Amino acid sequence: MPHITIAAASVVTPMGVNKAGQQQIDATVTNRKLTDWIVRPGYESTVVADDEIIAAGAASVTVRARVQLAATWNSTFGALRVMLMRNDTEIRTADFVNGTNALTLPDTAATLAVGDRLWLRMTNTTSGGFSMTGTVQAGTNTYLTADFA
């Protein structure tokens, strides 16, 4: 009788993280990775490495992200930009609106393969006498999630 071995398939589960510590985004900073993440409640199977969510399997997901600032963003002389990254490719970007202290990126559909990485980075284009610093808040209001589409 032949012996058949069936390997367990890699299974992706919903993934999510919350920001664990504040992070300052100084003026003239380009493509600063947001760091210091912890697994979000309800997403216990999330794998985090190098401040990135790592896909355990292939799946179509809806990625959601929100960044909360410590203070209101008010600058007409530059932008504070949030970029959602899959591996090293930007898949969604948005700028803070003046007079707000939070930015929720639009839901983003993504197809993930085993080992794909999801992460956030920011750019601050203010400079000189018109420079501003944005401080990203820790907690449940700054997050990155990927749920089944």
Side-chain angles (χ1 to χ4, degrees):
M1 180 166 205
H3 177 66
I4 298 173
T5 303
I6 299 174
S10 295
V11 177
V12 69
T13 59
M15 302 171 288
V17 290
N18 290 339
K19 190 88 169 69
Q22 286 192 11
Q23 186 172 350
Q24 191 167 303
I25 308 298
D26 295 322
T28 69
V29 164
T30 303
N31 298 334
R32 169 82 39 88
K33 179 188 259 188
L34 290 186
T35 59
D36 199 11
W37 297 93
I38 58 172
V39 174
R40 188 173 174 86
Y43 294 86
E44 285 77 16
S45 296
T46 301
V47 175
V48 181
D50 194 28
D51 298 303
E52 301 169 347
I53 294 174
I54 310 299
S60 294
V61 296
T62 300
V63 183
R64 295 177 178 91
R66 183 176 191 276
V67 175
Q68 178 76 45
L69 298 178
T72 301
W73 179 258
N74 281 308
S75 177
T76 55
F77 299 99
L80 185 61
R81 182 166 296 127
V82 177
M83 292 149 282
L84 170 60
M85 308 296 293
R86 180 181 58 222
N87 300 318
D88 293 321
T89 302
E90 184 179 307
I91 60 172
R92 177 72 76 181
T93 186
D95 292 350
F96 272 85
V97 174
N98 283 331
T100 65
N101 67 348
L103 172 65
T104 302
L105 291 170
D107 287 1
T108 304
T111 302
L112 301 178
V114 175
D116 277 353
R117 303 170 290 120
L118 294 171
W119 53 285
L120 295 175
R121 71 181 182 191
M122 292 181 70
T123 291
N124 182 344
T125 65
T126 64
S127 64
F130 301 106
S131 67
M132 282 192 69
T133 296
T135 301
V136 178
Q137 286 289 88
T140 60
N141 288 325
T142 299
Y143 60 82
L144 174 62
T145 64
D147 293 291
F148 296 118

